[in-house]
Amino acid sequence: MNTTVTVTKRLVNSFEQLAPGHRACLGCGEALAVRLVGKALGQNVIIVSATGCMEIISSQYPFTSWEVPWIHTLFENASAVASGIEAGIRALSRKGEFNEKTKVVAMGGDGATSDIGLQALSGALERRHNFIYICYDNEAYMNTGVQRSSATPYGASTTTSPASKITIGQTTWKKNMPAIVAAHDVPYVATACASYPFDLMSKVQKAMNVDGPSYIHILSVCPTGWRSSTESVIGLGRLAVRTGIFPLYEIEDGRYKLNMQMDKLHPVEEYLKQQGRFRHLSPEVIASIQTRVNADYAKLKEKATRS
Amino acid sequence: MNGQQTTEFRWHGRGGQGAVTSAEMIALAAIEEGKFAQAFPSFGPERRGAPVLAFNRVHDSIPIKIRSGVTNPDVVVVLDPGLLTIIDVMAGLKENGVLVINSPKSLSELKKDYSGPWNLAVVDATKIARKELGVPIVNTTMLGAVVKAVGIIKLESLNGPIKEHFGARAPSNITAAREAYEQTQIAPPVKTMPKRVEVLEVLPSWQEILPGCVVTSPGSAKQYRTGDWRSKYTDFDYSRCIKCGLCYIFCPEGCIEQRPDGYFESNKYYCKGCGICATECPKEVISMIEEAS
Amino acid sequence: MKRIGMEGSLAIAEAAKAAHVDVVAAYPITPQTHIVEKLAELVATGELKADYIPVESEHSAMSACLGSCAVGARTFTATAGQGLELMHEVLYVASSMRLPIIMVVVNRSLSAPLSVWGDHSDVMAVRDCGWIQMFAENVQQAYDLTLCAFKIGEDHSVLFPVMVHVDGFHLSHVIEPYFVLNQEDIDGFIPPYRYPYALNPAKPVTLGAFGPPNVYTEAKKAQEVALLSTKKVILNTWTQFKKLSGRSYNPVEVYKTDDADVALMTMGSFSETAMLAIDSLRSQGLKVGLVRLRLWRPFPFDELRAAVSNLSTLIVFDRAISSGGPPGPVASEIRSALYPMKTRPKVVSFIGGLGGRDVTVQAFEKLIKKGIEKAKADQLTDYEMIEVRGQ
């Protein structure tokens, strides 16, 4: 039986899905998110991982950090592999050969989700497989050395969107993955961040109870790629939320719901200035980011009000 | 060292400390002098904080064709003193070679543990780097110590490559390297071998590999001691602790455990020293202490 | 055993149904469509209690197969040409992770120019992907070999995926009579699938760990030894199948080679046409025979050497090009396999039947005669593309 640990008067599953001894960078916000997700999932799961940081840091043969059944095959196909597992479970449980309650959970980074694996994800969502997809978004290809992805924020300097005298680095706005997923009409979509661990875990538990596809997009602070200090990981995550850059919300059966009512957003500069990847940004660019964040947040609020 | 033979270097550092850049600077300085040289990293999945390797080869007049890793180095450089107790840095080091260590300890203190049939060179590069660069990143500082101890490359030859790589930050890096050059102390070889770190690595034969490389022991990577990556450790002062558990919930390693008395502590076998728990503790129970101190 | 007339694709679907597949994940592509349409229909009507995943690409088809096979479900798919190429990287994962997925490949040429018609370009591009691969020559064989594939691949001493190659249109779209086995016989022949390392929370395993340089070589050695040793099970399975059906299968099949001096080598559906050419040439007094590769991987070195040891000339007919290389990929492999023999036949290379181009009995006769001439003239360093317009 699982035991619990009391954290600020709340009971938390003591089960660690990802055993200590994993090889993530020190202060890895993504490993922390995986750990929290595991506490909410419990043990009756099968995890499908895309290629990426979390795969490399946890599965160096002949050892594994995983305490639950786990499979990795390729970069772009986690959703398709999950589709097969889910169908397999359905077929086998019809014959009484498998526990039909076992939940399939696919996971990938922002590249595996919003770039190379988008087609497979879209297919699996459209076919309405009963699975959870979790995007651990650290906003670039960190595993290969901080190259830009379609989830890299505007103005960030990465190794393939380097800032220079004539460019600010990434010149496109972050792809809105939750909206793309929501457009598939799935029952449950949520954003989360490890800086809000109880919010994150309750969303994962909600997803566990959905019959059909669900999607959780977790912003994962990456001190290595964001060029920020390791001890400020949780604080940066909080700022991402409080500035409105990464708001926490849910989309349940198409209805938007904001999880934190923020009447006044923190200035984006507070968040940007703590990260080396934004250090080159001029006050004008920061102001333009502020304008866009304000507008996007207003749109989100509007959607939540209409829902 | 003699430039008429190939001099082989092995650098020991941690992911993020710039060992690869150090090796590159040595190679570029040698090339600038008209010599032949190569620098290459040990390609691996290791992350920021994990022990990593980088290599050099230098020859005065003959192109270097060998591409394999350096297993019998003439020069071993240790950027992080914490690595000395977890890695056999002396493995394969040639007789009359050089072991260059960054350490706050004096040469006489280090001699008993690290002197062997090689020259032992020591400098407190961390102190110099803090003073000159404001950060404890020693990869350029250590270049000065290496030039001094090895003697096949001129100190001035580093200036060009450092300027090219560091731009505006080059002058302080050049100063740091020069200071290290001046402060490096060297002890001659002795006949006795020091005690070595035993590193046991058991790898399966092909017959032992299960079909598809399946791993049937869940969580077996627990044997891997990520605590070796740490440069700072946690110190808990329970007098202020309210047992809230926030340190536990925010630990990326999952290495903070609750004791029977309800207090939390970090498992040193795994703790990488990120400092998140210390930052997030509402009662300032936890402080981060430099390992080397 | 009942004798019925049926299209090749439907017979293959019937074989998959008779094997009680649990999951079919497939993406439609000509000329494979009739197989998966039939399976989808069987699932829709409840005749086959399986899950059909209509994936959005072949890459996902093979990926979904990895998943269902790894959770312990019997898994089947089919593809062709471009689809096989889109699966390419996933194929290596299936064999390296030892997941016994069964796939029928309806052989098709590769673009460009776009061609939905048959040849062996797709097969040759996946030669080295680590699957067990075999060729069928007619509808009966396509049905039989599909059934055998489940028993071979899922055997615990094998655990490799299996491809059954059938020629696009010539087999997939042809109606022929074939014998259907009784369901009880099939059930006795193919035991239930039990994957020994299945993903299951009751006993967690990690599948797909990454291999640093200090283990990758050992992993590949283990895989290669295992693949080569699958031949025992393949032969046993075919022996058992013969008892059940009366039909025998061998890694290398021969036709009228006992007293032959020259033989033609083919793979797939053109073999039966070639037999007629052999008969015709024999009636003209030529001592010729036919050698066919049934088992493509693991390559049947011993059987091939035994089959050709008394020949002076072996004329290899390829339906693919190894561009810029030794043009006939099969001829190239045959030369390599025969090279260590003290006495070996001269190997002459022809390429034809590309992109659905017909090869008639007369064309085969012409080709064999030309091959004999070339061998006599020791003209062995080049190759010839047959039935091509222009000088």
Side-chain angles (χ1 to χ4, degrees), chain C residues 239-369:
Chain C
T239 305
Q240 284 182 52
F241 190 78
K242 187 181 178 186
K243 283 182 198 146
L244 203 66
S245 67
R247 293 183 292 276
S248 70
Y249 291 96
N250 295 290
V252 174
E253 310 264 2
V254 291
Y255 179 72
K256 297 188 178 174
T257 53
D258 281 352
D259 63 342
D261 180 46
V262 174
L264 174 69
M265 168 166 272
T266 54
M267 293 153 93
S269 64
F270 283 18
S271 302
E272 293 189 337
T273 309
M275 283 177 195
L276 298 176
I278 297 297
D279 291 346
S280 166
L281 291 174
R282 279 194 163 256
S283 71
Q284 296 165 39
L286 287 173
K287 288 203 166 169
V288 294
L290 182 68
V291 180
R292 298 112 69 201
L293 280 181
R294 161 91 52 224
L295 186 62
W296 176 228
R297 287 293 186 273
F299 192 88
F301 290 99
D302 295 338
E303 292 84 350
L304 174 77
R305 286 170 191 146
V308 304
S309 60
N310 293 324
L311 298 173
S312 75
T313 302
L314 183 62
I315 302 162
V316 182
F317 177 65
D318 264 289
R319 293 189 68 196
I321 305 174
S322 169
S323 286
V330 179
S332 161
E333 294 222 358
I334 299 298
R335 283 189 177 118
S336 155
L338 301 186
Y339 189 77
M341 295 170 74
K342 278 204 185 81
T343 57
R344 54 180 182 258
K346 293 174 179 174
V347 176
V348 187
S349 169
F350 286 93
I351 291 173
L354 299 180
R357 179 68 59 88
D358 220 359
V359 183
T360 60
V361 174
Q362 293 71 27
F364 272 122
E365 282 183 43
K366 204 168 128 191
L367 176 159
I368 293 167
K369 283 180 179 164

Side-chain angles (χ1 to χ4, degrees), chain A residues 43-47 55-57 59-74 76-77 80-85 87-92 94-95 97-98 102 119-121 123-124 126-127 129, chain C residues 20 22-23 49-51 53-57 59-61 63-74 86 89-90 93 97 99 193-194 198-212 214-215:
Chain A
Q43 280 156 282
N44 193 14
V45 291
I46 293 172
I47 310 269
E55 170 258 326
I56 283 290
I57 61 103
S59 72
Q60 180 162 338
Y61 190 80
F63 301 109
T64 179
S65 300
W66 295 93
E67 300 280 6
V68 291
W70 182 90
I71 182 171
H72 157 258
T73 68
L74 292 162
E76 67 276 53
N77 68 348
V81 174
S83 303
I85 292 174
I89 290 174
R90 230 182 308 132
L92 293 172
R94 258 199 310 270
K95 299 192 278 185
E97 293 172 8
F98 214 99
T102 302
Q119 174 182 320
L121 172 60
E126 174 273 324
R127 294 189 300 270
H129 291 280
Chain C
H20 307 296
D22 295 310
V23 174
K49 288 188 176 42
D51 277 78
I53 317 178
V55 284
E56 80 295 338
S57 75
H59 195 284
S60 284
S63 298
C65 287
L66 297 178
S68 65
C69 204
V71 82
R74 179 167 285 160
L86 188 53
E89 61 162 347
V90 200
V93 176
M97 287 176 70
L99 295 167
Y193 173 47
R194 295 273 179 267
L199 293 165
N200 194 323
K203 200 178 164 209
V205 294
T206 283
L207 298 179
F210 83 92
N214 61 12
V215 297

Side-chain angles (χ1 to χ4, degrees), chain B residues 222-238:
Chain B
K222 274 196 213 84
Q223 54 82 38
Y224 187 60
R225 183 160 53 195
T226 51
D228 287 347
W229 300 16
R230 186 173 60 233
S231 57
K232 286 179 186 169
Y233 67 92
T234 52
D235 185 49
F236 286 71
D237 173 3
Y238 295 116

Side-chain angles (χ1 to χ4, degrees), chain A residues 133-192:
Chain A
Y133 189 97
I134 299 180
C135 172
Y136 294 99
D137 177 8
N138 56 19
E139 303 196 316
Y141 291 92
M142 300 310 181
N143 191 37
T144 43
V146 201
Q147 294 86 16
R148 65 85 80 183
S149 76
S150 60
T152 300
Y154 181 86
S157 182
T158 72
T159 54
T160 54
S161 64
S164 73
K165 285 195 180 110
I166 54 169
T167 170
I168 57 160
Q170 179 89 341
T171 52
T172 50
W173 203 258
K174 186 181 178 78
K175 190 185 272 187
N176 189 344
M177 264 315 292
I180 292 168
V181 174
H184 289 77
D185 234 348
V186 302
Y188 186 71
V189 177
T191 65

Side-chain angles (χ1 to χ4, degrees), chain A:
Chain A
M1 241 10 256
N2 287 327
T3 55
T4 53
V5 176
T6 308
V7 178
T8 59
K9 297 185 184 155
R10 279 168 280 204
L11 290 181
V12 175
N13 187 353
S14 69
F15 173 65
E16 300 291 346
Q17 163 189 282
L18 184 70
H22 64 72
R23 295 165 187 245
C25 298
L26 66 163
C28 176
E30 195 164 331
L32 171 58
V34 172
R35 187 181 159 236
L36 296 173
V37 166
K39 287 180 178 298
L41 291 176
Q43 280 156 282
N44 193 14
V45 291
I46 293 172
I47 310 269
V48 186
S49 177
T51 306
C53 280
M54 290 302 102
E55 170 258 326
I56 283 290
I57 61 103
S58 66
S59 72
Q60 180 162 338
Y61 190 80
F63 301 109
T64 179
S65 300
W66 295 93
E67 300 280 6
V68 291
W70 182 90
I71 182 171
H72 157 258
T73 68
L74 292 162
F75 199 176
E76 67 276 53
N77 68 348
S79 304
V81 174
S83 303
I85 292 174
E86 187 256 6
I89 290 174
R90 230 182 308 132
L92 293 172
S93 56
R94 258 199 310 270
K95 299 192 278 185
E97 293 172 8
F98 214 99
N99 178 353
E100 63 179 351
K101 295 221 161 65
T102 302
K103 193 85 173 186
V104 184
V105 182
M107 57 183 274
D110 47 291
T113 306
S114 61
D115 289 343
I116 197 167
L118 183 59
Q119 174 182 320
L121 172 60
S122 173
L125 296 171
E126 174 273 324
R127 294 189 300 270
R128 301 193 89 71
H129 291 280
N130 181 15
F131 81 122
I132 307 175
Y133 189 97
I134 299 180
C135 172
Y136 294 99
D137 177 8
N138 56 19
E139 303 196 316
Y141 291 92
M142 300 310 181
N143 191 37
T144 43
V146 201
Q147 294 86 16
R148 65 85 80 183
S149 76
S150 60
T152 300
Y154 181 86
S157 182
T158 72
T159 54
T160 54
S161 64
S164 73
K165 285 195 180 110
I166 54 169
T167 170
I168 57 160
Q170 179 89 341
T171 52
T172 50
W173 203 258
K174 186 181 178 78
K175 190 185 272 187
N176 189 344
M177 264 315 292
I180 292 168
V181 174
H184 289 77
D185 234 348
V186 302
Y188 186 71
V189 177
T191 65
C193 177
S195 302
Y196 298 87
F198 299 102
D199 175 79
L200 185 154
M201 289 187 283
S202 77
K203 284 169 176 170
V204 174
Q205 275 153 1
K206 255 190 194 173
M208 278 295 274
N209 294 322
V210 168
D211 185 19
S214 53
Y215 176 88
I216 303 180
H217 193 105
I218 303 180
L219 183 74
S220 306
V221 178
C222 173
T224 304
W226 294 13
R227 288 181 272 138
S228 54
S229 67
T230 59
E231 67 271 16
S232 63
V233 162
I234 307 301
L236 263 183
R238 279 192 203 107
L239 270 177
V241 172
R242 289 176 184 167
T243 51
I245 286 174
F246 190 85
L248 299 180
Y249 59 95
E250 292 166 289
I251 313 168
E252 283 184 81
D253 294 319
R255 287 187 301 277
Y256 279 72
K257 183 180 140 197
L258 281 169
N259 299 117
M260 280 175 59
Q261 290 302 331
M262 298 184 292
D263 295 331
K264 198 168 180 311
L265 298 175
H266 284 242
V268 295
E269 191 175 3
E270 272 183 46
Y271 173 73
L272 302 175
K273 74 180 180 194
Q274 289 191 35
Q275 305 172 52
R277 61 176 175 160
F278 294 120
R279 195 157 292 148
H280 57 284
L281 295 183
S282 66
E284 294 75 39
V285 175
I286 292 173
S288 75
I289 293 174
Q290 185 69 64
T291 307
R292 171 80 188 241
V293 167
N294 291 349
D296 282 0
Y297 190 70
K299 262 191 256 172
L300 186 66
K301 259 175 121 171
E302 161 79 20
K303 279 182 188 163
T305 319
R306 268 188 289 143
S307 290

